[in-house]
Amino acid sequence: MKEQVSQTKKGSVLRTSMYVAVLIGLAAFLIFSILAAITFGNADLLLKDVYSVIAYKLFHIKSLSAYAEGAVHDVVWLIRLPRVLLALAVGMALSVCGVVMQAIVQNPLADPYVLGISSGASFGATLAIMLGVGGFLGGNSVGVTAFIGAMVTSFAVIAIANMGGKATSAKLILAGMAVSAVCSAFSNFVIYITNDKNAATEVMKWTMGSLAGASWSRVGVMLPVTLICVIIFWTQYRNLNLMLLGDDVSITLGTDLHRLRTFYLIVASVMIGFAVYCAGVIGFVGLVIPHVIRILFGTDHRRLLPLSALLGASFLIWCDVACRVILKNSEMPIGVLVSIIGAPCFIYLLVRKSYGFGGSK
């Protein structure tokens, strides 16, 4: 008996040590990804110039004052660095929301868009592009209306799922599918009756996702929102673990998941709404990243959430780098590239005989 207890303790210590090592490794890789990603782009810049601009802006070193302005300064500080940081924030938001959504609906196939949030955002963007809704917002009209569409859709799903009783995971999925179908139908209807090919092309490009519109103002909104929401979810890891066991088990343990499920969905929708506002629609990040982490570390959200956040951020940063360099003098939509990478990876995960929800057999 003592030997079994001793082996259990050793196994727990080993898993904890491995988790800490991987956490530190992913954090270090994320820092490396940020520093490396800003050196890629269509403009050929010397590494010395790239890092001199950043060093001057951060530490105001007098010997580097020549980099306070000019073309190199603008490319590095106003274009590349905000874009990399926006990719970090959006990737972190999508992956964490994927973890939370899968716990909320108890479905390993769930991602941030499974509850119709994507369709709602697309519908909002379609109204802005095709009909000029929100034109008074200027250049931000598409992003703002998409954000509003995502939020309205989320509240609609919650309201529908609560009709006739408390919302359950099954009712949330069904409500999300219904609302998604309605939003898609109205989007197609608006595109059809408008009959504007140029605007329809613009809608299609927006739904493919892009980080080309990155700016310090968007980073200043997206990054704090993401970090705050991630911390909120991390403090709720016990309840998220409990959601995987189902409502019946949670009630016997004295916890009512109904209000928590609604609260988590609202917080996740805020993250997705801002991600859609900043980068358009990007799929598969919230689907694949949580599965990869679960295979390695199981379903404990105390470990799953921070590891998913770090890996998702690094993943989207390098996807954006690839989008900038694959096509010469052009840029591939990041949503397309992520789907090309994510779909085969997800198929592989599905066909693994040893894989289940949480990486268990």
Side-chain angles (χ1 to χ4, degrees), residues 54-101:
I54 295 176
Y56 175 78
K57 297 298 290 188
L58 293 179
F59 306 109
H60 297 286
I61 302 173
K62 291 184 179 181
S63 60
L64 300 176
S65 58
Y67 294 95
E69 57 183 4
V72 175
H73 167 273
D74 292 345
V75 170
V76 175
W77 189 253
L78 300 180
I79 298 176
R80 290 187 182 178
L81 187 56
R83 182 164 180 158
V84 171
L85 294 179
L86 186 62
L88 178 153
V90 172
M92 188 176 292
L94 293 176
S95 56
V96 169
C97 283
V99 172
V100 175
M101 290 289 185

Side-chain angles (χ1 to χ4, degrees), residues 96 99-100 103-104 228-244 255-257 259-261 263-265 267 299-303 305-306:
V96 169
V99 172
V100 175
I104 289 175
I228 291 172
C229 292
V230 169
I231 292 173
I232 290 174
F233 283 133
W234 194 37
T235 62
Q236 300 294 307
Y237 71 88
R238 289 188 179 88
N239 292 324
L240 290 169
N241 288 341
L242 194 57
M243 283 185 175
L244 298 179
T255 302
D256 185 2
L257 296 180
R259 291 183 179 179
L260 290 174
R261 187 178 285 115
F263 171 68
Y264 296 160
L265 183 57
V267 175
T299 58
D300 185 0
H301 286 84
R302 182 174 54 178
R303 298 178 178 181
L305 284 166

